[in-house]
Amino acid sequence: MKNDSFSLSRRAVLASGLSLAAPWAAAQTASDYPNRPVRLMVGYAAGGGVDAMARMLSARLPALLGQQVIVENRAGATGAIAADAVAKAAPDGYTLLVGETAMLISPHLGTKVPYDPIQSFTPVAGAFQAPLMIVANNNVGVSGPKELISLLKANPGRYSYATSGVGTVHHLGMEILKARTGSFIVHIPYRGASQIMPDVISGQVPFGVVSAAAGLAQARSGRLKAVAMMSTSKLPGAEAVRPLADALPGFDVAPRIFVLAPAATPAPVTSRLNDAIRTILASADLVQAAAQQGAVPAYLAPQALAAEMKRESTEWAGVIKQQKITAE
């Protein structure tokens, strides 16, 4: 019995030591973080908007972290391949995801992914927004948000608009507009954005929803009209284009780009990363640099990003259900 008591006591001491060792190890990892290169995973090909923002961060982070930061592109499945790789990575802060709003939308369209967009990740920081613009053929008689809504309400089903695909923020933003105004406009999904602008300019389709930077460039050349911004984000150079919120108070829709770590990443690690990203986004030169890529800095702290991701996921689910949207 005495031996049994000794054995139990010894096991208790060992168990206690192990339980103390785990947080000690995490603290040690956090205290010297980072001591090797950090990877930023991007779920899209090089050259796209999310990739450009990731590279903007990777160019500036080494000066603040003291380590190389490498962008790794794993394109495919609307970003799900990269997201899955990060969700399954060690929660040590060395493998991060530069994600965007599409990952919050796709599960509500029936897309099966091997991770939970909310539970499988630790929010690090909200980084950018990519404002969207509604553009129109020059022969369409609208020049602002109020005229657009009046035209659509007076002519249900007569007009159509192009986006880069079903379930994109571009598409769902217009579905919110339709729901709030009781109007109807036909959606024409394209396989990507490259052909939308030429087709709006030629009159093949009267309206398009495109990146604000791309729409602004064509509007300045006089080839089409910049009708409305879908968000209140201030893209430099586009200040004269009125937001839909002028006609629909509170309307504010834009893709968000954010940085996530695997679930259970230690708080000191995410805090270090968040501090570095916040410093970068406050840099005086970043506004113009981001604007050239069609984005605006939009910093969010980890808790604020977590709340925003949950809010957006719920909102997109509601729009998809209400408007009876299904994947292609």
CSV table of all heavy atoms in Angstrom, one decimal, residues 12 15 36 52 109 113 125 194 213 232 307:
chain,number,residue,atom,x,y,z
A,12,ALA,N,1.7,11.9,-9.7
A,12,ALA,CA,1.1,13.3,-9.6
A,12,ALA,C,2.1,14.3,-9.8
A,12,ALA,O,1.9,15.4,-10.5
A,12,ALA,CB,0.5,13.4,-8.2
A,15,ALA,N,3.0,14.4,-13.5
A,15,ALA,CA,1.9,15.0,-14.3
A,15,ALA,C,1.9,16.5,-14.1
A,15,ALA,O,1.7,17.3,-15.0
A,15,ALA,CB,0.6,14.4,-13.8
A,36,ARG,N,13.5,32.1,-37.2
A,36,ARG,CA,13.7,31.5,-38.5
A,36,ARG,C,12.7,32.2,-39.5
A,36,ARG,O,11.8,32.9,-39.0
A,36,ARG,CB,13.6,30.0,-38.5
A,36,ARG,CG,12.3,29.5,-37.9
A,36,ARG,CD,12.4,28.0,-37.8
A,36,ARG,NE,11.3,27.4,-37.0
A,36,ARG,CZ,10.1,27.0,-37.5
A,36,ARG,NH1,9.8,27.2,-38.8
A,36,ARG,NH2,9.2,26.5,-36.7
A,52,ALA,N,-0.6,40.5,-54.3
A,52,ALA,CA,0.1,41.8,-54.2
A,52,ALA,C,0.1,42.3,-52.8
A,52,ALA,O,1.2,42.9,-52.3
A,52,ALA,CB,-0.6,42.8,-55.1
A,109,LEU,N,-22.2,28.3,-49.7
A,109,LEU,CA,-22.6,28.0,-51.0
A,109,LEU,C,-22.5,26.5,-51.2
A,109,LEU,O,-22.7,26.0,-52.3
A,109,LEU,CB,-21.7,28.7,-52.1
A,109,LEU,CG,-21.9,30.2,-52.2
A,109,LEU,CD1,-20.8,30.8,-53.0
A,109,LEU,CD2,-23.2,30.5,-52.8
A,113,VAL,N,-15.0,22.2,-47.3
A,113,VAL,CA,-13.6,22.4,-47.1
A,113,VAL,C,-13.2,21.6,-45.8
A,113,VAL,O,-14.0,21.4,-44.9
A,113,VAL,CB,-13.3,23.9,-46.9
A,113,VAL,CG1,-13.4,24.6,-48.3
A,113,VAL,CG2,-14.1,24.5,-45.9
A,125,ALA,N,-4.5,39.8,-37.8
A,125,ALA,CA,-4.8,41.2,-38.0
A,125,ALA,C,-5.6,41.4,-39.3
A,125,ALA,O,-5.4,40.6,-40.3
A,125,ALA,CB,-3.4,42.0,-38.2
A,194,SER,N,-11.3,39.7,-66.4
A,194,SER,CA,-10.6,40.3,-67.6
A,194,SER,C,-11.5,40.7,-68.7
A,194,SER,O,-11.2,41.7,-69.4
A,194,SER,CB,-9.5,39.3,-68.1
A,194,SER,OG,-10.1,38.1,-68.6
A,213,ALA,N,-10.0,50.3,-58.6
A,213,ALA,CA,-8.8,50.9,-59.3
A,213,ALA,C,-9.0,50.7,-60.8
A,213,ALA,O,-8.7,51.6,-61.6
A,213,ALA,CB,-7.5,50.2,-58.8
A,232,THR,N,-17.7,52.5,-48.3
A,232,THR,CA,-17.3,53.8,-47.9
A,232,THR,C,-15.8,54.0,-47.8
A,232,THR,O,-15.3,55.1,-47.4
A,232,THR,CB,-18.0,54.2,-46.6
A,232,THR,OG1,-17.6,53.2,-45.6
A,232,THR,CG2,-19.5,54.3,-46.7
A,307,ALA,N,-14.4,39.1,-34.5
A,307,ALA,CA,-15.8,39.6,-34.4
A,307,ALA,C,-16.2,39.9,-35.8
A,307,ALA,O,-17.4,39.5,-36.2
A,307,ALA,CB,-15.9,40.8,-33.5
